[in-house]
Each structure stands twice: as structure tokens, then as C-alpha cells.
Amino acid sequence: MSFDLAARLAARRAEHLYRQRPLLESPQGPQVVVDGQPLLAFCNNDYLGLANHPQVIEAWRDAASRWGVGGGASHLVIGHSTPHHELEEALADLTGRPRALLFSTGYMANLGAVTALVGQGDTVLEDRLNHASLLDAGLLSGARFNRYLHNDAASLAKRLEKATGNTLVVTDGVFSMDGDVADLPALARETKARGAWLMVDDAHGFGPLGANGGGLVEHFGLGLDEVPVLVGTLGKAFGTAGAFVAGSEELIETLVQFARPYIYTTSQPPALACATRKSLELLRSEHWRREHLANLIRQFRLGAEQIGLELMDSFTPIQPIMVGDSTRAVELSRMLRSRGIMVTAIRPPTVPAGSARLRVTLSAAHSEAQVQLLLSALADCFSELQTRPGHA
């Protein structure tokens, strides 16, 4: 008996779901080189254009000279350096919470938070369209796991009535494949009414949303009482890497004691924490980045509407174009690439069957002229595809 891996791979190819890694041969930014081809990219999550910012690079370089390039140990042994501590304090200040805790990745932050807070005899309720890391965390926690209808507070309320033990309600802030936002005020009301806790993963909200870049929770004016557990990632609008959980003193101490992905992994490089502190300063002080990004989003949505494209309901930098068929989505992505523009086709199982799409992401590093180039290419590609046999 053996694993028939070849058959699994062949089946994925036959279903047009086979994935390959594009090779990036340049720094992140609007203009990239991928697999040797110069392209105008609309597919990364560098929403504020900080991933290649000279001041952030300089902060990392200077910190590496002082602190070295490795964390060296886990936080609880001897890997918790001054830069980590200072970044945690800065993130707590950004979120208006008593404390924050650094994790190496967003996946680890979600897994660590959920599994530290609930277990056998408890309940986890999650939005159906939550990120895979949140769903995996719920399943691995050992708690009773159930999913409510997408962004539906009434559906959540029905499931809360049947919940047992400590109950954790978990949602994305900005849904990464649709670009819509969670109705946090309604979810918080239902959750508080049942004595449950609300956990929000605002990976795609921090930076673009909120008056000071504090994300969806700031956008809605919610606090610690409404959202006790707040997660953010640093590899998107912050432009660096890692993640954090922000909350009460008791929450963070609980994670330090019980979150296995935090306890049993080496800390991130201290120099990375210094780079992130610099990007956090820029995120908070350079408001023009959010303002410019908002203008680009409006420009894109208006232009796409004039072309007749089917957009999803989003005021965020994530602007998916619904296509439906996976083969058609891949073909459109290929056609755009032949015109020098990179937009990724998103297919099942990342999104539900029949909802393949082109996932356009905008950045403050883009110009209005570049967005217009994208719109012109989209108009040409959709028009050409409609004229092909079998695509009408």
C-alpha cells in the first residue's frame, strides 16, 4: 500500500485547480519582475506601499548591526528582546488596548489564541467565509465547532442559543477573498448578550481602515468590551512580517502561558521588530497614504462599473471581479499577463465552487495612471473573451 500522490496531482490539474508559485525577481511594489517578465502588479497585500520603503529598510539594516539577525530562542527562554517588547507596546497603543503579544505569523496568532481560550466542553462559532487559519484553529481546539451564515448576526444568535461552556465567536474583519467587512457592531451585540467573547482577525483592515489606521474596530468605534480579542498581521499594510494579538492584561498573560504556537517557537528577528516599529510610525503619521488609496478604490470601482464588470461589495483595497468559472478566470488572468498586468485568479477550494474570481488589490504605491492601465486592459480582455466561441 502506498500514497498515490501522482493521481492526486493529476486530478487537481484536470480540475484546473493546480497551483504554481510565481517567482518574484524584484522587490515588492507596483512594478515587479515575475518569472523574468516585467509586470504591473495588482495582487499583493502591501496596501500602504511600505514593504520596500527606504526608512523601513534603513531601520532593519541599522537594527541588524546592533541586534543581529536571529531571535536565537523562544520568547520564554531568552528570545524576548527589547525591540520585541517595544513593538508590543507600540501595537498596544495603536489598538488602544493594555497589551499586545507578537507572533511569528498570522496563522500562529489565530491558532494560538483560539486553542488557548477554548477546548473540550466549550464552543467556537465562526463565519462561514473565515480565513483557513481561523477555521483550522476552531477545529483543532477540541471545542464544539459550528459556522454561522456569512456576516449574519441573526444566524449567529441562533447558534449562540445552543452554545455550551465558554463560547468564542470568531470572524475576519475584512474578508480576504470578498473584500467586504464584518458587521462588528451587530456581531458584538449578539455576542455580549449571550456572555460570549468576540475575536476579530483584522489582518486586512489594519492600515487602510480607521482614522489612524487602527483597522475595522477603530472604524466602528468599538473597544475592549465589544471585541476582547483583536488579531492583526504585519505582512500586509505594515509591509514587514509577523502578527500580534491585542487585548487585556489577563488575555495576553493567558496566551503567554497557554498558546502553544507562541511558547514553542523561536522569536522573530529583533531587527524585524525594529523595521515594523518604523512602518508603524509611517502608517500612523502619513495619512496621505490612506487618502490616496481611498481615491484609487473609488476610481477603480467607477471604471469597472462603466465597463460592466461584476464587482463585490467592498470599500477596501480588495476588489474582486466575479467570474464564476475557474477556467475562465485563469484565462482572463493569462490574458492580462500577456498585456503586462498581473492579477491573480482565485479558484476553489480557496473560494466556494462556482465563484472563481480575479482578485484585484490596490496599494497606495499605485498611481491613478496605473489604475487606468488596469481598467483599459480589463475592458479589452473581457471584450475579447466574450467574442470567443463558447464564451458568449
Side-chain angles (χ1 to χ4, degrees):
M1 187 175 187
S2 62
F3 294 97
D4 194 351
L5 302 185
R8 289 178 64 187
L9 293 172
R12 177 145 288 201
R13 283 192 178 91
E15 294 163 0
H16 302 286
L17 299 178
Y18 199 81
R19 288 161 169 76
Q20 293 176 293
R21 299 178 298 175
L23 181 60
L24 180 65
E25 301 173 54
S26 64
Q28 288 287 0
Q31 301 281 358
V32 296
V33 178
V34 178
D35 296 326
Q37 182 183 6
L39 294 168
L40 175 57
F42 290 92
C43 52
N44 70 37
N45 299 322
D46 181 26
Y47 300 129
L48 296 184
L50 296 175
N52 196 34
H53 194 287
Q55 291 182 42
V56 177
I57 294 171
E58 182 182 10
W60 192 325
R61 184 186 297 118
D62 292 347
S65 297
R66 179 180 177 188
W67 296 99
V69 295
S74 66
H75 284 274
L76 293 178
V77 178
I78 196 175
H80 189 64
S81 301
T82 300
H84 299 130
H85 200 71
E86 291 176 343
L87 176 56
E88 288 180 344
E89 290 178 336
L91 290 166
D93 184 63
L94 171 69
T95 59
R97 287 156 188 262
R99 285 185 64 184
L101 189 69
L102 273 178
F103 283 79
S104 295
T105 68
Y107 210 108
M108 292 173 68
N110 285 332
L111 186 61
V114 173
T115 57
L117 292 174
V118 292
Q120 286 190 340
D122 298 326
T123 303
V124 178
L125 300 175
E126 300 206 18
D127 190 291
R128 284 190 174 276
L129 297 187
N130 272 355
H131 188 267
S133 61
L134 295 172
L135 299 175
D136 287 356
L139 291 168
L140 290 169
S141 70
R144 181 184 176 195
F145 178 79
N146 207 327
R147 293 192 284 178
Y148 58 90
L149 297 177
H150 176 52
N151 217 2
D152 189 328
S155 174
L156 171 62
K158 291 178 182 177
R159 284 158 178 76
L160 281 166
E161 291 175 1
K162 302 175 183 177
T164 57
N166 293 320
T167 301
L168 186 66
V169 175
V170 183
T171 183
D172 274 305
V174 177
F175 291 89
S176 61
M177 292 299 122
D178 288 20
D180 59 337
V181 303
D183 186 356
L184 294 187
L187 297 176
R189 282 194 300 271
E190 296 296 345
T191 302
K192 283 188 70 177
R194 292 288 174 174
W197 271 21
L198 178 60
M199 172 176 161
V200 177
D201 175 7
D202 204 21
H204 298 269
F206 278 107
L209 304 184
N212 299 295
L216 193 63
V217 170
E218 182 185 40
H219 171 81
F220 282 122
L222 303 178
L224 194 61
D225 287 344
E226 293 87 3
V227 182
V229 189
L230 179 58
V231 180
T233 55
L234 305 172
K236 298 178 175 65
F238 287 85
T240 56
F244 65 93
V245 179
S248 67
E249 178 78 27
E250 293 78 12
L251 170 68
I252 300 307
E253 276 303 306
T254 297
L255 297 184
V256 171
Q257 301 301 321
F258 298 105
R260 291 168 66 86
Y262 178 81
I263 297 167
Y264 298 108
T265 195
T266 300
S267 65
Q268 63 175 225
L272 171 58
C274 293
T276 303
R277 278 193 68 201
K278 175 54 68 175
S279 71
L280 176 53
E281 289 176 19
L282 297 168
L283 180 150
R284 300 188 75 172
S285 65
E286 296 189 347
H287 293 275
W288 67 264
R289 294 179 182 274
R290 275 182 294 282
E291 294 163 5
H292 176 59
L293 179 58
N295 287 334
L296 295 181
I297 293 168
R298 284 191 289 270
Q299 176 192 358
F300 176 78
R301 290 190 67 84
L302 178 61
E305 182 182 340
Q306 291 171 344
I307 296 170
L309 304 181
E310 183 182 349
L311 296 183
M312 303 187 76
D313 184 19
S314 171
F315 61 85
T316 77
I318 302 169
Q319 293 293 321
I321 302 170
M322 185 59 68
V323 178
D325 178 69
S326 293
T327 305
R328 194 164 181 258
V330 171
E331 176 62 8
L332 282 165
S333 177
R334 187 200 65 76
M335 292 169 68
L336 286 168
R337 186 158 174 165
S338 71
R339 289 165 169 79
I341 293 178
M342 186 172 185
V343 178
T344 306
I346 305 295
R347 298 160 285 164
T350 305
V351 294
S355 69
R357 65 204 62 181
L358 295 180
R359 182 179 182 267
V360 173
T361 54
L362 299 169
S363 167
H366 286 122
S367 67
E368 292 182 5
Q370 288 171 332
V371 173
Q372 188 55 53
L373 284 173
L374 170 63
L375 289 167
S376 297
L378 284 168
D380 290 345
C381 291
F382 271 84
S383 176
E384 179 183 331
L385 195 62
Q386 291 296 331
T387 62
R388 293 184 182 180
H391 286 283

